[in-house]
C-alpha cells in the first residue's frame, strides 16, 4: 500500500531532526530505492530511505540493512559526486501532495558552496527522484523522454517542471463546520493527501476527524501500524501503537520489499533458464534432423561406389548417369546425379568426401544427444526450482549455480560482480515438516539444498524423489519408514515436483546409502539403486504447518 500524503506529512515531522545533518554515504540497493547515511547533532547517525515504487513508495528513517549491487548504478554515482558531504538545509512537502524536496548545501568541484535540491516524487507509477540545480535537472532515477504522449518529460539538462498540484483542499486547514458538511468516508474526493482506505479508518464524526487533523498540523502524531493499510499517524481500530512512523514502516514494508526484490531477481533468472532451455531444445532439434538424414548419408557412399564400378563411357558434361545398382536384390538401374565437367571417378571422390562429412556429423549428433537430454532435464529442474523460490537466499544460491555452470556471465550487465569482495552469506534452509507419527521430513527447494540434504542425511534414513520428474529431494529422518510416513513424505515429494497438478505421481524411495553423486556431476544430480516406487496423490503442503528446525 503506497503511503498517503497525510502520513507522509507526519513522517516529515520525524525527519525534522535531519536539519543540518551531513550526508556521509549514498547507496542504491535496487532500481527504486536510495539509502542516505547521515549524521547530525540532533539526529545522530541514521539512515534515510527513499523508495518510489508504485506500491511501496515512502520516505523514512530505517534500521534495516540492504544488500547493494557490486557496481553502483549511474544515478547513484551522480549523487555520490554531488551530495557526499552535503548538508541537509530543509525538508519540505508540496502541500499534502506526495512530493518532497530536500534542500542541500554542497561544494562543487571548485570547492565553492552551491545549493542543490533533491526532489522525491512518490506519484505512483510516475514516481521519480531528481537532482536539481538552479531549476535544471542534473540527473534523475527514471528518464522520461519527449514524445507526443508525454506532457512532462524528465531528462538531464531539461528545466524541472514541478508536479501539477491537486485541485483539492488541504484537510489540515478544514474547519469543523466544513468537515461537518462533508462525509468523512468520501473526504478523499475533496481533500488532498487522503485516499479511500485512509478515510475509512478516520472517525465517523467531523469532530473526531478535525481533532486528528489539528494534532497532525502542529506535529503531534500517534504512530500506529495497521496490518492492511500500513503506517498511520493516528489511532484506528486493529492498529497497534509504535514508537515512530518510521519504525512502523520498517515492519510493514520489510516483507513487501523482500517479495518485490525476490520476484524481480527471480524473473531475470527465469529468463536465463528459459533461454538456456530454448537453446538446448534447438540443438536437440538440429541433431535430430541430422540423424534423420542417415539414409541420405549412406546413399552418398553408394553413389561413389557405383560410379567407381561403372566402366561404360559417360557423355561429356552429363548431369546424370544411369548405372546398375548391384547392391539391390535383384540388381536394378539407378540414376546418379553428376557434377558436369568432372569425370565419373572425380564425381565418385566428391561423393566420398560428402559421405565422410555426413558420417562425422552423424557421429557428432549421436554423441551430443545424451548430454543435451541431460542438460535439458537439469535446466527444466532448475526452472521448476526458480518458480518455487520463496526467499532471496534461495535465489542467490540458484544464481550462483547458474554462474558456476556458465549460463550467466558475471563480467557485464546486471550480474557484474565488479571488484567487490564476495561476502559470506548463510545458506538457505530447506522446508521442514512433521509426519503424523512425528518423523521429521526435510524438503529441498533448489539444487544446493538438495545436495546438502542428501549429503548430510544418515545412511539408514530414507531419500525420496518423484520418478523421472524434476523436483525436490526429500529426506525422511527415520530408519523405520512406516506406511503412513511413507505416504506423507512421498506426497510432499510429489507436491514439490513438476507433476504437482497430477492425480497420481510415481515417487521413488530408497535408503540414503544407495544414493550416490557421481564425481563431476551437475548440482542436484544423483544416481541410486535398489529403489522402490509408490504412486501417491500430491500432498498440498499449504495445509500443513511448516515446522522449523
Amino acid at each position: 500500500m503506497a503511503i498517503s500524503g497525510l502520513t507522509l506529512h507526519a513522517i516529515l515531522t520525524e525527519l525534522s531532526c535531519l536539519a543540518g545533518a551531513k550526508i556521509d554515504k549514498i547507496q542504491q540497493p535496487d532500481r527504486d530505492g536510495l539509502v542516505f547515511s547521515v549524521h547530525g547533532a540532533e539526529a545522530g547517525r541514521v539512515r534515510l530511505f527513499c523508495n518510489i515504487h508504485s506500491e511501496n513508495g515512502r520516505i523514512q528513517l530505517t534500521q534495516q540493512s540492504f544488500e547493494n549491487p557490486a557496481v553502483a548504478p549511474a544515478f547513484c554515482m551522480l549523487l555520490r559526486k554531488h551530495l557526499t558531504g552535503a548538508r541537509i538545509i530543509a525538508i519540505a512537502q508540496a502541500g499534502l501532495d506526495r512530493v518532497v524536496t530536500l534542500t542541500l548545501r554542497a561544494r562543487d568541484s571548485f570547492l565553492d558552496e552551491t545549493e542543490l535540491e533533491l526532489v522525491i516524487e512518490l506519484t505512483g507509477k510516475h514516481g521519480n527522484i531528481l537532482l536539481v540545480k538552479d531549476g535544471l535537472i542534473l540527473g534523475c532515477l527514471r528518464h522520461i523522454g519527449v514524445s507526443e504522449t508525454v506532457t512532462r518529460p524528465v531528462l538531464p539538462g531539461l528545466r524541472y517542471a514541478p508536479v501539477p498540484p491537486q485541485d483539492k483542499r488541504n484537510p489540515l486547514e478544514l474547519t469543523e463546520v466544513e468537515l461537518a458538511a462533508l462525509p468523512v468516508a468520501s473526504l478523499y474526493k475533496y481533500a488532498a493527501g487522503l485516499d479511500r482506505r485512509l478515510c475509512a479508518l478516520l472517525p465517523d464524526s467531523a469532530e473526531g476527524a478535525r481533532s486528528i487533523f489539528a494534532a497532525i498540523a502542529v506535529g503531534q502524531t500517534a504512530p500506529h501500524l495497521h496490518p492492511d493499510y500500513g503506517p498511520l499517524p493516528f489511532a484506528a481500530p486493529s492498529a497497534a501503537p509504535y514508537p515512530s512512523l518510521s519504525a512502523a514502516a520498517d515492519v510493514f514494508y520489510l516483507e513487501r520489499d523482500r517479495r518485490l526484490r525476490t520476484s524481480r531477481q527471480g524473473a531475470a533468472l527465469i529468463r536465463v533458464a528459459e533461454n538456456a532451455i530454448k537453446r538446448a531444445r534447438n540443438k536437440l532439434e538440429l541433431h535430430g534432423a541430422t540423424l534423420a538424414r542417415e539414409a541420405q548419408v549412406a546413399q552418398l557412399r553408394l553413389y561413389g561406389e557405383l560410379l567407381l564400378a561403372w566402366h561404360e563411357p559417360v557423355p561429356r558434361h552429363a548431369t546424370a548417369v544411369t548405372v546398375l545398382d548391384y547392391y539391390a536384390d535383384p540388381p536394378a538401374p539407378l540414376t546418379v546425379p553428376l557434377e558436369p565437367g568432372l569425370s565419373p571417378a572425380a564425381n565418385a571422390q566428391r561423393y566420398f568426401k560428402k559421405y565422410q562429412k555426413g558420417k562425422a556429423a552423424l557421429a557428432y549428433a549421436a554423441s551430443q544427444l545424451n548430454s543435451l537430454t541431460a542438460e535439458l532435464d537439469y535446466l527444466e529442474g532448475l526452472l521448476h526450482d526458480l518458480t518455487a523460490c520463496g526467499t532471496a537466499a534461495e535465489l542467490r544460491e540458484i544464481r550462483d549455480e547458474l554462474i558456476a555452470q556458465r549460463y550467466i556471465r558475471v563480467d557485464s550487465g546486471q550480474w557484474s560482480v565488479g571488484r567487490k569482495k564476495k561476502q559470506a552469506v548463510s545458506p538457505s534452509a530447506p522446508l521442514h515438516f512433521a509426519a503424523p507419527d512425528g518423523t521429521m521430513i526435510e524438503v529441498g527447494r533448489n539444487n544446493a539444498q538438495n545436495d546438502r540434504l542428501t549429503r548430510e542425511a544418515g545412511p539408514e534414513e530414507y531419500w525420496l524423489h518423484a520418478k523421472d520428474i524434476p523436483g525436490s529431494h526429500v529426506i525422511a529422518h527415520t530408519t523405520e519408514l512406516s506406511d503412513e510416513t511413507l505416504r506423507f513424505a512421498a506426497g510432499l515429494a510429489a507436491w514439490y515436483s513438476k507433476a504437482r497438478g497430477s492425480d497420481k505421481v510415481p515417487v521413488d524411495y530408497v535408503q540414503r546409502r544407495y544414493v550416490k553423486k557421481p564425481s563431476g556431476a551437475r548440482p542436484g544430480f544423483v544416481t541410486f539403486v535398489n529403489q522402490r516406487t509408490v504412486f501417491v496423490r500430491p500432498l498440498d503442503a499449504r495445509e500443513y504447518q511448516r515446522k522449523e528446525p
Side-chain angles (χ1 to χ4, degrees), residues 232-343:
L232 287 172
F234 56 87
S238 302
Y242 267 75
S244 68
L245 287 168
S246 291
D250 263 350
V251 174
F252 182 72
Y253 290 104
L254 175 64
E255 181 63 19
R256 295 165 67 96
D257 285 343
R258 185 199 64 77
R259 286 199 303 264
L260 178 63
R261 286 192 296 269
T262 300
S263 64
R264 282 179 173 175
Q265 188 176 7
L269 293 174
I270 285 173
R271 286 194 297 271
V272 171
E274 288 177 341
N275 289 336
I277 288 173
K278 185 178 179 180
R279 288 194 297 270
R281 286 176 176 168
N282 288 341
K283 290 179 181 179
L284 272 176
E285 185 177 346
L286 289 174
H287 291 319
T290 298
L291 292 173
R293 294 196 295 268
E294 184 176 5
Q296 300 175 15
V297 172
Q299 191 174 44
L300 294 173
R301 178 180 179 181
L302 175 65
Y303 283 169
E305 291 180 347
L306 293 179
L307 285 176
L308 285 181
W310 187 251
H311 298 294
E312 299 293 331
V314 177
R316 190 177 182 84
H317 302 299
T319 58
V321 62
T322 300
V323 300
L324 186 63
D325 181 6
Y326 48 83
Y327 286 101
D329 187 19
L334 178 66
T335 300
V336 179
L338 299 176
E339 180 70 25
L342 295 181
S343 66

Side-chain angles (χ1 to χ4, degrees), residues 211-432:
S211 64
I212 288 176
F213 293 150
I216 293 176
V218 295
Q220 296 177 0
T221 61
H224 280 69
L225 177 59
H226 192 277
D228 298 323
Y229 185 84
L232 287 172
F234 56 87
S238 302
Y242 267 75
S244 68
L245 287 168
S246 291
D250 263 350
V251 174
F252 182 72
Y253 290 104
L254 175 64
E255 181 63 19
R256 295 165 67 96
D257 285 343
R258 185 199 64 77
R259 286 199 303 264
L260 178 63
R261 286 192 296 269
T262 300
S263 64
R264 282 179 173 175
Q265 188 176 7
L269 293 174
I270 285 173
R271 286 194 297 271
V272 171
E274 288 177 341
N275 289 336
I277 288 173
K278 185 178 179 180
R279 288 194 297 270
R281 286 176 176 168
N282 288 341
K283 290 179 181 179
L284 272 176
E285 185 177 346
L286 289 174
H287 291 319
T290 298
L291 292 173
R293 294 196 295 268
E294 184 176 5
Q296 300 175 15
V297 172
Q299 191 174 44
L300 294 173
R301 178 180 179 181
L302 175 65
Y303 283 169
E305 291 180 347
L306 293 179
L307 285 176
L308 285 181
W310 187 251
H311 298 294
E312 299 293 331
V314 177
R316 190 177 182 84
H317 302 299
T319 58
V321 62
T322 300
V323 300
L324 186 63
D325 181 6
Y326 48 83
Y327 286 101
D329 187 19
L334 178 66
T335 300
V336 179
L338 299 176
E339 180 70 25
L342 295 181
S343 66
N347 269 290
Q349 293 302 319
R350 174 172 164 269
Y351 278 120
F352 284 138
K353 287 182 180 180
K354 285 186 175 182
Y355 167 73
Q356 292 297 332
K357 186 176 181 181
K359 181 181 177 182
L362 287 173
Y364 178 75
S367 68
Q368 293 297 303
L369 283 183
N370 288 338
S371 62
L372 279 172
T373 301
E375 181 183 16
L376 191 57
D377 291 341
Y378 165 74
L379 289 170
E380 288 178 344
L382 204 62
L383 182 60
H384 171 265
D385 292 342
L386 281 169
T387 57
C389 266
T391 66
E394 291 172 2
L395 281 175
R396 183 165 48 244
E397 288 176 340
I398 296 179
R399 179 199 63 192
D400 293 344
E401 182 179 336
L402 285 167
I403 291 173
Q405 296 297 317
R406 300 189 176 183
Y407 290 106
I408 291 178
R409 290 180 56 188
V410 297
D411 55 353
S412 63
Q414 63 177 315
W415 311 112
S416 177
V417 297
R419 297 182 180 180
K420 185 176 180 180
K421 187 176 180 180
K422 188 175 180 180
Q423 298 178 349
V425 294
S426 300
S428 62
L431 300 178
H432 293 74

